[in-house]
Amino acid sequence: MAAMSVSSNTPMRAKTPGIGHISSKDSYAEAKAKRYRHEARDYVNERLWLDFEGLIELAAPADAKLRKRADSVAAQIVDDFENTLALEHTLASDRTLFDWIRAGAEIGLEKDLYGHFDAFMHFVAEGVRRSSRGLEVDILGPKRTIEAYDKHDVAVDGSEQNYRLDIFVECRSINPDNELELKPKSPKPPYGRMFTVVEAKKTNSLIEVQNACIQLIVYMRQAYVAQLNRCFVWGITLCGNAVCVCSFGNDHMLASREMRLTEKEGRARLIKYLVYWSFCEVHRLGYDPTIKWLPGPECWQIEVPVLSETDGQRSSAGTALFYTSECLVSADNLFGQYTRVFLATDITPTHAEDTEYDKCRYVIKDSWVEVTPATDEDEDMRNEMRHLRKIRDKLEGHTDVAGCYPTIVAGGRVQIDRSDGRGIVDDTTASMLGDIFSKVFAQQKSPSNKVNSSYVRDARMIPFRAHKRVVTTPIGKPLRHLNCPLKLVKVITDVMRTHYRIRWDADILHRDISINNVLFYETDDGSDVQGLLIDFDHAVDLSVPKTKRHLERSGTLPFMSINNLNGQVDLVTGLDDWESVLY
């Protein structure tokens, strides 16, 4: 039935919704799914690097002895597979897979691919398990097997859009002292336990490969929400009988050259990926070894760097431990800074309630920030922790703004042992990707060692990022929880006074005033509120002579000043931040 105009009771012409339009029939989840798919398609068109050589190096164990052992096991499994394939009679459990390959791996229905690939992974997993039998504790043995969930085309627990995954792939522990502790199982496979996904398509056309990658992106951003210790993710496309392994990180989207199951070389290469993942260190799987799930108190343990207060260097304490079960901001995008914000306590928990909201005193911010390569932490002029320490020192004694800015408790660049002989190193995109980074690094230099102005950046190239983690206090609440106009005025007044003090007493310009970066908290007796200005990621220290503080736009779009939006070469000043406050 046609809709009626209120004024004339005559039928109105239906309007055709545009792309991204949310109709009244769309639920919030459906609208979000549409947006995710549009974004994923753009990412694939702009960022996907097909036939990327050397991706397998990212999966290989970093420890040289461990890699040698993995290579040996992979070679043995390849021989076993090819010998079995050459037999006329095959065990019943493997018969379907081998008969399919012998027949040329022709595709009937897409769902037929699920069982064949599952059987292939199972064959490799059995070979990995055989390599560990008879060994009590073998530091050079496999740590896990890579296997499919026992059902295909399965709904996943924790999915906002009720997605069904073709093949859900998880890590199954071999070593009882396995360092990768995941959340417990549930009736449906949870995103929290997912290592990767196999997305299957019937044919191997370019468009189908791209569509498979689009689906992987949609699924993997859900994994980032559920897995608070995920730094990058792996994905697998199975298009016809051709397999591609993909890696998705802060800024990269790399796909290996295809591995055909009908060819010995393709099968051998795929087996090597599966064996490498079985032997490698957890950071090679894409997990952060400094964030661990504790099954007893059901919370996450987070290591935070501790820096000396005298010389800016890492103290002998190294790290401090914090515990959280409250993630305020999750990394729900596949690319960018992966900013996560947690409420945490520094008291070791024994029960789940020990990390509930009212027991937490600290905020942990974890992100991958774009920085200049070959710059250490103390030289990084865009370092939020450096700014917070300076603000704390310069504003000490100013009681009028006490508690209106974050007080730093601990923080610095996250450091891990990559097991490649370099010892403890900063966790950066360069250390994470290893030799691959030199192939995809965005900065191209001319012979004069200056950035080549004639070079047009390939959208697939990536910047240099450092993994940073900072702990601050107090804990604030979003402005939407304020229900009194007078209290809102009080909060804005506190923030503008604090901004003024920080600008003129500490020479720090915030440059990203937005509704997300202005918080409040209630006084102890609950009778009053206090404003809190947070997030100094985009701030600059104006006392540093060579600080680049005006050539690029920065901030949150709806709140950027007119001068900032127009990209004026004039210096962005404190007045631009105050203009953002008004918006």
Side-chain angles (χ1 to χ4, degrees):
M1 179 177 178
M4 293 293 178
S5 166
V6 175
S7 58
S8 62
N9 288 331
T10 56
M12 296 186 299
R13 180 177 298 175
K15 295 182 179 180
T16 303
I19 294 176
H21 174 77
I22 302 174
S23 72
S24 58
K25 295 181 180 180
D26 284 331
S27 67
Y28 173 76
E30 290 170 340
K32 196 172 184 179
K34 288 180 180 180
R35 177 169 62 85
Y36 279 5
R37 188 163 181 84
H38 281 303
E39 290 177 358
R41 189 175 299 279
D42 290 341
Y43 287 146
V44 166
N45 291 335
E46 296 171 3
R47 297 173 182 259
L48 181 59
W49 198 314
L50 291 170
D51 300 323
F52 187 85
E53 290 293 336
L55 184 59
I56 197 168
E57 294 300 317
L58 187 57
D63 181 89
K65 293 181 179 179
L66 196 59
R67 177 168 182 167
K68 184 177 180 181
R69 177 71 181 276
D71 283 332
S72 175
V73 171
Q76 181 60 55
I77 294 174
V78 170
D79 287 344
D80 292 344
F81 193 96
E82 298 305 319
N83 290 337
T84 304
L85 187 62
L87 297 175
E88 293 184 5
H89 302 286
T90 309
L91 294 175
S93 59
D94 299 323
R95 183 176 302 154
T96 303
L97 169 66
F98 288 100
D99 287 349
W100 177 66
I101 293 177
R102 293 187 192 105
E106 294 183 357
I107 312 301
L109 300 174
E110 179 185 300
K111 65 180 183 180
D112 295 336
L113 290 169
Y114 306 163
H116 297 320
F117 196 81
D118 187 341
F120 188 93
M121 287 196 297
H122 180 74
F123 187 97
V124 176
E126 280 297 310
V128 170
R129 274 190 285 269
R130 282 196 299 272
S131 73
S132 67
R133 286 172 186 160
L135 302 174
E136 295 182 1
V137 178
D138 184 8
I139 60 173
L140 295 182
K143 299 175 175 60
R144 64 195 74 87
T145 56
I146 308 300
E147 299 188 59
Y149 187 69
D150 55 10
K151 294 180 180 179
H152 306 140
D153 186 29
V154 63
V156 182
D157 189 24
S159 170
E160 295 180 356
Q161 284 78 38
N162 297 317
Y163 294 125
R164 301 187 69 86
L165 277 56
D166 291 347
I167 305 178
F168 179 103
V169 181
E170 59 185 346
C171 298
R172 296 182 184 173
S173 175
I174 291 178
N175 188 335
D177 297 324
N178 184 24
E179 75 285 22
L180 182 60
E181 186 69 54
L182 298 174
K183 289 188 175 182
K185 293 184 177 180
S186 61
K188 291 192 294 184
Y191 268 110
R193 294 189 63 85
M194 185 185 77
F195 166 59
T196 188
V197 176
V198 180
E199 176 65 17
K201 300 294 180 185
K202 184 177 178 179
T203 64
N204 190 36
S205 65
L206 177 59
I207 189 65
E208 288 287 58
V209 173
Q210 291 176 329
N211 285 335
C213 288
I214 289 170
Q215 282 302 116
L216 287 179
I217 291 173
V218 173
Y219 299 149
M220 292 309 180
R221 67 188 299 167
Q222 291 283 120
Y224 273 114
V225 173
Q227 300 179 13
L228 305 183
N229 59 342
R230 208 66 193 259
C231 295
F232 70 91
V233 292
W234 293 95
I236 300 174
T237 64
L238 174 60
C239 299
N241 58 46
V243 180
C244 283
V245 170
C246 306
S247 173
F248 306 99
N250 300 88
D251 304 277
H252 74 263
M253 186 191 302
L254 310 175
S256 70
R257 58 188 173 90
E258 67 178 28
M259 297 166 280
R260 290 193 172 273
L261 297 177
T262 54
E263 299 173 358
K264 179 179 179 180
E265 180 186 357
R267 294 190 292 267
R269 198 164 183 82
L270 180 56
I271 288 172
K272 181 170 283 190
Y273 269 106
L274 295 171
V275 172
Y276 276 176
W277 285 331
S278 300
F279 277 79
C280 70
E281 301 82 0
V282 293
H283 63 80
R284 293 289 198 177
L285 297 176
Y287 295 100
D288 182 349
T290 66
I291 301 181
K292 298 178 181 178
W293 174 254
L294 303 182
E298 297 183 356
C299 68
W300 296 92
Q301 174 186 283
I302 303 178
E303 297 179 22
V304 179
V306 177
L307 299 184
S308 167
E309 295 297 324
T310 56
D311 57 8
Q313 300 300 311
R314 192 170 298 276
S315 73
S316 58
T319 59
L321 297 180
F322 292 83
Y323 306 89
T324 181
S325 59
E326 296 276 348
C327 183
L328 298 181
V329 178
S330 59
D332 65 346
N333 203 339
L334 200 62
F335 303 103
Q337 287 197 175
Y338 293 168
T339 299
R340 295 181 173 102
V341 179
F342 310 95
L343 293 185
T345 176
D346 59 349
I347 300 174
T348 304
T350 56
H351 302 90
E353 57 267 22
D354 293 341
T355 55
E356 291 179 352
Y357 181 89
D358 60 342
K359 303 293 178 63
C360 295
R361 298 172 50 208
Y362 305 106
V363 176
I364 300 178
K365 179 180 177 180
D366 183 276
S367 59
W368 287 76
V369 183
E370 188 172 342
V371 297
T372 303
T375 301
D376 63 33
E377 191 163 7
D378 198 41
E379 295 174 343
D380 183 3
M381 295 299 105
R382 300 286 182 88
N383 186 351
E384 182 179 23
M385 284 148 284
R386 184 180 186 275
H387 296 330
L388 292 178
R389 289 188 178 94
K390 184 177 182 181
I391 291 170
R392 178 197 58 196
D393 295 341
K394 293 293 185 180
L395 269 59
E396 186 178 7
H398 289 285
T399 57
D400 58 330
V401 294
C404 293
Y405 54 86
T407 300
I408 185 169
V409 176
R413 290 190 183 180
V414 176
Q415 293 195 324
I416 68 172
D417 185 354
R418 292 283 177 188
S419 305
D420 54 4
R422 293 181 294 168
I424 304 294
V425 297
D426 285 350
D427 195 16
T428 66
T429 46
S431 64
M432 178 174 67
L433 296 176
D435 293 339
I436 290 177
F437 183 73
S438 61
K439 299 180 181 180
V440 296
F441 179 39
Q443 182 173 324
Q444 300 292 317
K445 293 186 176 181
S446 64
S448 62
N449 205 35
K450 296 181 179 179
V451 176
N452 187 347
S453 60
S454 64
Y455 173 75
V456 178
R457 173 175 169 174
D458 187 331
R460 300 176 302 179
M461 307 300 271
I462 69 174
F464 182 92
R465 293 183 184 272
H467 188 188
K468 298 183 179 183
R469 194 171 290 155
V470 60
V471 180
T472 61
T473 189
I475 297 173
K477 297 179 180 179
L479 293 181
R480 66 176 179 271
H481 294 291
L482 275 176
N483 55 10
C484 174
L486 291 179
K487 289 184 177 181
L488 176 61
V489 172
K490 170 65 165 58
V491 169
I492 297 301
T493 302
D494 288 344
V495 166
M496 295 184 76
R497 183 188 300 115
T498 302
H499 179 275
Y500 180 87
R501 285 289 192 194
I502 291 173
R503 166 61 187 89
W504 295 107
D505 290 10
D507 277 329
I508 303 293
L509 185 62
H510 190 281
R511 302 201 315 159
D512 189 19
I513 303 291
S514 73
I515 196 170
N516 296 321
N517 295 335
V518 176
L519 306 179
F520 78 96
Y521 62 94
E522 296 175 340
T523 55
D524 292 338
D525 59 4
S527 62
D528 200 2
V529 294
Q530 192 153 350
L532 180 63
L533 178 62
I534 66 167
D535 195 356
F536 288 79
D537 262 346
H538 294 281
V540 290
D541 188 341
L542 301 181
S543 67
V544 179
K546 295 184 179 180
T547 299
K548 296 178 180 178
R549 58 183 185 271
H550 64 282
L551 294 181
E552 77 281 3
R553 295 188 300 177
S554 66
T556 304
L557 191 59
F559 306 97
M560 290 168 64
S561 68
I562 295 175
N563 183 42
N564 201 356
L565 283 170
N566 289 336
Q568 300 293 331
V569 296
D570 300 329
L571 295 179
V572 174
T573 68
L575 290 178
D576 291 275
D577 278 355
W578 279 33
E579 184 180 335
S580 296
V581 172
L582 298 177
Y583 298 146

